């Protein structure tokens, strides 16, 4: 008989595989607390604190569990009932439906910008609050945040361009927090031959004998295809070719008598990521629709909805990076190998810093862009050119950075990071969406140049970040380096916007993003008393902007730290 004793089980006090599940993703994020104190009015921050804490707890626990279940149980398409009646329906897993309830009803993420009271706060909620809540929510669930963003953006576009009758009739459902009556939104733009080339749209629009607009044609990529309403681009029969012939229409899922509108979901897409949320192909078969705004100006009107979604893409990318970095930091602080914590190993410290920089850049740019949006929506004419360039900048760079950050963070967990029981694979798959949807990287980088040429956005950008620099107390040499980088990045963007400069679009967009984020991070560090944030700004400038010799082990210039009451350049691991 063997005398071997059984291996111990359930030893949770010194388990070799760290698991962060159950942590509050808000209360453990001390950098976010510093930024909120800097960017939000004290009274509003005090009011929102318990809501941030509650969502942080959900995102680190129950919501994360729901997201994992929904990711492994994607939606299916029902075309007929078991008795043979045509009744198309997207069948969603109960875990996804519960996440819908939390996002749309309990926290009001899609409705809060269109209400006078949300979460007990009287009056309009500033965009930053919505984006902070989204930033927390997306750290657990990414897919649902796409319909949330489209619903919010559709309501915004409807209010801005729809007739008073159209707004009065349909907007209340987008303002509702009642889960049984609120409306979800979508946008159906993409066609097989007309992806980003909206001028190639061939979906047909015509008026029937009663004067009602009808739509026919195929839309190739439609996320949230069973939404209650969708914004659709189509070309009227008598409209000219090209962009000027495209108009914007509001497409209801149900007609006034409650019957289904005349379009079909042909199939659902088998996607690499965002698997919890349905995306499909739709065939319009004389579907009833309502003209939104002026005929022939559909692209300009839809661009407002797309730009709002692009900002949301940047927010979501920032959230994904934060989740990935926080997981890597936790593993490094808890995992031991070769007799040491990973966090105490110099090469791991360097790796974590390289993960933190793009994640913190994106977070800073979310705050800066949200403030520009609030000013622009509040009637500040000087804020629109700034918002117009910040939006494609964050969509372009943050979404691209998220692909690398999530992948490199997965590596910190090691072999477990490659296993679908953990969040890492889902983060990596979802991160690839941001740089494709609502405009690929090339399209969005060119939109940065379009903002420079058509909206005179470059002076607005320079003025804003020069103002931040004027308010920033750092070493004179570092301030001078930041100022010089801003001048040179603006000059590059100006050259790229000229004839023949198109090949430099991505280079110019990256230069502006990195320089502006470094300036804003230094400003934040100076105002919030965060030496760590100033150090990160220095590293952004050193590693992502200035020329470096890859064969030289250089560091932050000593002159950049002069007169700064800051800790050494080494950044501590946050457990």
């Amino acid at each position: 008989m063997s005398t071997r004793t059984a291996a111990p089980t359930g030893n949770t006090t010194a388990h070799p595989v760290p698991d962060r599940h159950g942590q509050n993703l808000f209360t453990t994020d001390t950098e976010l607390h510093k930024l909120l104190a800097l960017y939000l009015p004290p009274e509003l921050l005090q009011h929102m604190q318990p809501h941030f804490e509650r969502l942080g707890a959900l995102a680190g626990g129950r919501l994360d569990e729901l997201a994992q279940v929904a990711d492994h149980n994607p939606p299916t398409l029902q075309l007929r009932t078991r008795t043979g009646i045509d009744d198309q329906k997207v069948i969603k897993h109960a875990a996804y439906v519960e996440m819908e309830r939390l996002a749309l009803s309990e926290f009001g993420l899609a409705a809060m910008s269109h209400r006078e009271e949300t979460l007990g706060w009287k009056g309009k909620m500033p965009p930053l609050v919505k984006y902070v809540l989204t930033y927390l929510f997306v750290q657990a669930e990414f897919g649902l945040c796409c319909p949330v963003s489209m619903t919010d953006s559709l309501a915004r576009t409807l209010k801005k361009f729809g007739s008073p009758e159209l707004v009065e009739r349909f907007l209340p459902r987008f303002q509702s927090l009642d889960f049984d009556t609120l409306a979800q939104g979508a946008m159906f733009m993409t066609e097989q031959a007309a992806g980003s080339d909206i001028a190639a749209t061939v979906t047909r629009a015509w008026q029937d004998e009663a004067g009602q607009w009808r739509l026919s044609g195929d839309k190739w990529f439609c996320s949230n295809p069973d939404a209650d309403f969708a914004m659709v681009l189509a070309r009227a029969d008598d409209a000219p070719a090209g962009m000027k012939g495209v108009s914007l229409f509001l497409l209801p899922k149900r007609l006034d008598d409650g019957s289904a509108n005349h379009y079909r979901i042909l199939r659902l897409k088998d996607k690499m990521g965002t698997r919890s949320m349905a995306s499909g192909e739709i065939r319009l078969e004389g579907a009833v629709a309502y003209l939104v705004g002026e005929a022939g100006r559909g692209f300009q009107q839809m661009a407002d909805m797309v730009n709002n979604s692009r900002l949301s893409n940047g927010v979501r990318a920032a959230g994904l990076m934060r989740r990935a970095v926080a997981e890597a930091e936790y593993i490094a602080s808890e995992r031991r190998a070769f007799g040491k914590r990973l966090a105490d190993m110099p090469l791991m410290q360097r790796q974590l810093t390289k993960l933190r920089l793009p994640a913190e850049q994106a977070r800073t740019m979310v705050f800066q862009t949200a403030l520009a949006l609030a000013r622009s929506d509040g009637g500040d004419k000087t804020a629109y050119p700034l918002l117009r360039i910040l939006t494609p900048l964050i969509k372009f760079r943050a979404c691209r950075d998220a692909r690398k950050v999530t992948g490199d963070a997965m590596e910190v967990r090691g072999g477990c990071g490659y296993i679908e029981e953990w969040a890492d694979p889902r983060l990596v798959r979802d991160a690839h969406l941001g740089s494709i949807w609502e405009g690929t990287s090339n399209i969005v980088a060119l939109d940065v140049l379009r903002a420079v040429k058509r909206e005179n956005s470059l002076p607005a950008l320079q003025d804003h970040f020069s103002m931040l620099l004027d308010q920033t107390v750092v070493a004179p040499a570092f301030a001078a380096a930041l100022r010089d980088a801003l001048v040179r990045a603006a000059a590059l963007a100006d050259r790229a916007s000229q004839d023949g400069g198109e090949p430099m679009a991505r280079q110019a967009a990256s230069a502006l993003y990195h320089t502006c984020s470094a300036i804003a991070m230094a400003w934040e560090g100076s105002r919030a008393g965060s030496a760590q944030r100033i150090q990160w700004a220095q590293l952004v400038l050193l590693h992502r902007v200035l020329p470096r010799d890859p064969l030289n082990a250089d560091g932050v210039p000593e002159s950049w730290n002069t007169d700064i009451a800051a800790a050494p350049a080494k950044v501590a691991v946050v457990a």
Side-chain angles (χ1 to χ4, degrees), residues 111-116 124 152-164 166-167 171 174-175 231 292 304 377:
M112 69 169 53
S113 291
H114 315 289
R115 294 173 53 85
E116 294 300 325
K124 288 286 186 184
D152 175 27
S153 300
L154 187 151
R156 176 186 173 91
T157 302
L158 177 62
K159 285 195 302 183
K160 192 168 184 178
F161 299 109
S163 67
L166 209 59
V167 172
L171 185 63
F174 293 100
Q175 296 170 318
M231 287 293 186
V292 177
D304 187 77
D377 285 353

Side-chain angles (χ1 to χ4, degrees), residues 243-255:
M243 197 77 78
K244 294 183 179 179
V246 178
S247 297
L248 182 62
F249 296 88
L250 180 67
L251 175 76
K253 178 181 177 180
R254 296 282 173 184
L255 301 177

Side-chain angles (χ1 to χ4, degrees), residues 112-303:
M112 69 169 53
S113 291
H114 315 289
R115 294 173 53 85
E116 294 300 325
E117 182 273 325
T118 313
L119 298 173
W121 180 259
K122 303 297 183 182
K124 288 286 186 184
M125 191 74 83
L128 184 55
V129 169
K130 173 181 65 181
Y131 290 132
V132 171
L133 290 167
T134 302
Y135 179 81
L136 292 169
F137 195 100
V138 80
Q139 290 182 51
E141 164 60 13
F142 185 95
L144 174 60
C145 288
C146 179
V148 168
S149 169
M150 290 192 297
T151 302
D152 175 27
S153 300
L154 187 151
R156 176 186 173 91
T157 302
L158 177 62
K159 285 195 302 183
K160 192 168 184 178
F161 299 109
S163 67
E165 296 78 16
L166 209 59
V167 172
E168 182 180 3
R169 182 177 176 185
F170 295 117
L171 185 63
R173 288 194 62 192
F174 293 100
Q175 296 170 318
S176 174
L177 298 180
D178 179 74
F179 192 57
D180 294 325
T181 61
L182 62 80
Q184 291 193 39
M187 52 179 160
F188 301 163
M189 293 192 301
T190 309
E191 300 179 8
Q192 287 175 308
S196 297
D197 185 7
I198 301 300
T201 296
V202 296
T203 297
R204 178 189 171 210
W206 77 96
Q207 288 179 288
D208 60 21
E209 294 178 354
Q212 177 68 65
W213 283 101
R214 302 273 183 162
L215 306 179
S216 64
D218 282 10
K219 291 296 183 179
W220 179 243
F221 212 110
C222 306
S223 288
N224 208 22
D226 65 334
D228 301 285
F229 296 90
M231 287 293 186
V232 184
L233 290 177
R235 188 181 304 278
D237 283 349
D238 58 351
M243 197 77 78
K244 294 183 179 179
V246 178
S247 297
L248 182 62
F249 296 88
L250 180 67
L251 175 76
K253 178 181 177 180
R254 296 282 173 184
L255 301 177
D256 290 344
D257 62 2
S259 62
N261 204 350
H262 308 292
Y263 64 89
R264 290 185 292 141
I265 305 173
L266 300 179
R267 67 166 178 160
L268 299 185
K269 303 284 194 181
D270 185 9
K271 296 174 294 181
M272 170 182 167
T274 62
R275 297 183 65 83
S276 63
M277 182 267 301
S279 300
E281 300 164 22
I282 283 183
R283 176 162 294 163
L284 301 159
E285 301 172 321
V288 172
Y290 304 93
L291 180 67
V292 177
E294 183 181 343
R297 291 187 56 81
F299 172 73
Q300 290 84 351
Q301 294 153 1
M302 181 66 97

Side-chain angles (χ1 to χ4, degrees), residues 325-509:
V325 172
E327 292 288 326
E329 290 176 336
Y330 181 82
I331 294 159
S333 67
E334 297 295 322
R335 175 79 165 158
R336 299 188 69 86
F338 312 109
K340 295 181 179 179
R341 290 193 320 154
L342 297 186
D344 295 328
M345 298 179 180
L347 192 55
M348 177 58 73
Q349 292 171 351
R350 180 179 177 87
Q351 184 180 356
L352 291 174
T353 297
K354 290 177 70 174
L355 294 176
R356 289 188 192 103
L357 293 184
E360 293 299 333
Q361 284 180 268
R363 175 146 63 178
T364 287
M365 293 299 272
V366 165
F367 278 76
Q368 289 290 319
T369 309
L371 290 190
L373 174 62
R375 288 173 49 208
S376 179
D377 285 353
D380 184 346
K381 301 295 184 183
T382 66
Y384 176 75
L386 178 63
L387 172 66
R388 180 64 184 82
I389 194 169
L390 285 178
T391 298
L393 280 177
I394 193 172
K395 163 66 165 80
F396 168 70
R397 191 66 261 169
C399 291
R400 291 194 62 78
D401 285 345
R403 293 162 58 168
K404 180 170 175 55
V405 169
T406 53
D408 287 354
M410 179 171 67
E411 184 181 347
V412 176
R413 180 166 265 134
C416 287
Y418 200 66
I419 304 303
E420 289 286 349
E421 291 175 323
W422 301 85
D424 306 77
R426 178 159 47 94
L427 295 175
V428 171
R429 287 187 276 107
D430 289 349
H432 281 70
L433 174 146
S435 57
I436 298 175
W437 291 11
E438 271 77 81
T440 59
S441 297
N442 283 352
I443 293 297
V444 179
L446 290 171
D447 194 44
V448 172
L449 302 188
R450 194 174 297 114
V452 172
K453 288 191 289 188
R454 298 183 183 178
E455 309 293 346
N456 198 31
S457 290
L458 205 52
L461 191 77
Q462 288 179 278
D463 289 347
H464 176 73
F465 287 94
S466 293
M467 177 195 69
L468 293 185
L469 259 178
D470 291 340
Q471 300 173 1
T472 302
V473 180
V474 292
F478 180 44
L482 288 170
R483 203 173 296 277
D484 178 65
L486 180 60
V487 171
R488 293 175 60 199
L492 176 62
D494 184 58
R495 288 199 304 275
S497 69
Q498 306 301 319
D499 291 342
E502 187 175 297
M504 294 187 291
R506 292 168 72 125
Q507 180 185 357

